[in-house]
């Protein structure tokens, strides 16, 4: 019997250098499964917003079909090994049609299934380059920033980075985004 195939992808944000995730998924798994691990890998909500895979550039190439929050949708059952991908090919993925967060996903290699593990999974990721909370820093403490206050950043025309504690205490009710490392 032919061995099962594992597809090894490297997924990265299209417009931000730094964060990437290597994702392994079996050929007989689906875009619904892939969507789920993409949301987990890039801290996207699983219960909110549509997403979609494209054969090439987002909005400018063949659409594989929307995936709804929760993993249903027109392309959710399409299998990875039915996408016609060969090593080196890149597809793209958009999360949230409003915020339009685009990702490039390159197929690095296709290997035979060696060990039974839970698929899909995140096999490796970039080494994080942490940044620090500016309010803690003023008090001489180095605390990793996990939030960017969008409101203050836009107002002050610079990145206002905060830890969770300082966000809650000093930027309560401000619109903020979690920082992906
Ligand atoms: Zn802080
Ligand atoms: Zn703020």
């Amino acid at each position: 019997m032919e061995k099962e195939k594992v597809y090894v992808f490297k997924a990265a944000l299209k417009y931000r250098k730094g964060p990437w995730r290597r994702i392994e998924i079996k050929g007989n798994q689906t875009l619904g499964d892939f969507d789920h691990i993409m949301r987990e890998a890039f801290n996207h909500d699983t219960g909110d917003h549509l997403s979609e895979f494209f054969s090439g550039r987002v909005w400018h190439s063949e659409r594989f079909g929307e995936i709804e929050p929760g993993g249903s949708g027109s392309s959710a059952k399409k299998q990875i090994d039915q996408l016609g991908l060969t090593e080196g090919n890149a597809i793209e993925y958009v999360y949230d049609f409003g915020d339009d967060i685009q990702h490039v996903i390159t197929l690095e290699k296709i290997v035979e299934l060696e060990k039974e593990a839970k698929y899909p999974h995140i096999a490796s990721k970039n080494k994080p380059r942490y940044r620090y909370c500016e309010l803690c820093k003023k008090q001489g403490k180095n605390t990793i920033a996990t939030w960017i206050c969008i409101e203050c950043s836009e107002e002050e025309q610079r990145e206002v980075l905060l830890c969770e504690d300082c966000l809650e205490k000093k930027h309560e009710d401000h619109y903020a985004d979690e920082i992906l490392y």
Side-chain angles (χ1 to χ4, degrees):
M1 210 179 87
E2 209 184 324
K3 271 198 177 172
E4 276 189 275
K5 298 280 192 251
V6 172
Y7 285 61
V8 182
F9 290 99
K10 187 174 180 182
L13 290 170
K14 191 168 178 181
Y15 296 113
R16 209 187 118 198
K17 282 199 167 61
W20 57 263
R21 308 288 186 255
R22 182 165 287 118
I23 291 170
E24 296 181 344
I25 186 167
K26 292 200 278 190
N28 61 7
Q29 292 185 300
T30 64
L31 285 181
D33 298 320
F34 205 173
D35 170 71
H36 190 80
I37 194 81
M38 281 296 290
R39 288 175 188 240
E40 184 188 319
F42 289 93
N43 288 352
H44 300 319
D45 256 311
T46 50
D48 245 340
H49 304 299
L50 293 169
S51 60
E52 186 162 0
F53 292 91
F54 289 74
S55 67
R57 284 173 61 211
V58 169
W59 311 124
H60 298 280
S61 62
E62 186 200 337
R63 306 176 69 139
F64 288 138
E66 293 173 5
I67 296 182
E68 284 160 32
S72 55
S74 59
S75 73
K77 294 210 156 58
K78 195 172 282 185
Q79 282 187 203
I80 303 302
D81 60 10
Q82 290 168 347
L83 300 176
L85 298 176
T86 55
E87 294 181 355
N89 283 166
I91 59 174
E92 293 193 4
Y93 171 81
V94 61
Y95 169 78
D96 187 349
F97 294 0
D99 278 356
D100 196 24
I101 306 170
Q102 299 187 16
H103 310 66
V104 178
I105 303 171
T106 307
L107 177 59
E108 293 188 316
K109 55 188 175 179
I110 303 171
V111 297
E112 291 192 335
L113 181 73
E114 291 291 347
K115 52 179 193 310
E116 198 48 64
K118 189 175 166 283
Y119 291 95
H121 62 229
I122 301 164
S124 54
K125 52 162 87 175
N126 61 290
K127 194 160 167 264
R129 292 183 50 200
Y130 289 120
R131 300 171 70 187
Y132 297 94
C133 170
E134 64 172 51
L135 293 179
C136 286
K137 210 184 273 175
K138 277 182 194 151
Q139 312 206 343
K141 282 186 297 182
N142 273 343
T143 313
I144 291 170
T146 46
W147 293 88
I148 175 167
C149 182
I150 302 291
E151 266 178 68
C152 294
S153 295
E154 277 173 7
E155 204 172 290
E156 298 176 29
Q157 293 291 301
R158 62 186 189 89
E159 291 186 314
V160 176
L161 307 175
L162 303 160
C163 69
E164 177 128 10
D165 232 30
C166 292
L167 178 80
E168 277 172 12
K169 284 183 190 145
K170 308 284 183 185
H171 294 251
E172 214 192 339
D173 299 329
H174 290 189
Y175 179 64
D177 254 349
E178 212 171 340
I179 299 172
L180 181 80
Y181 287 110

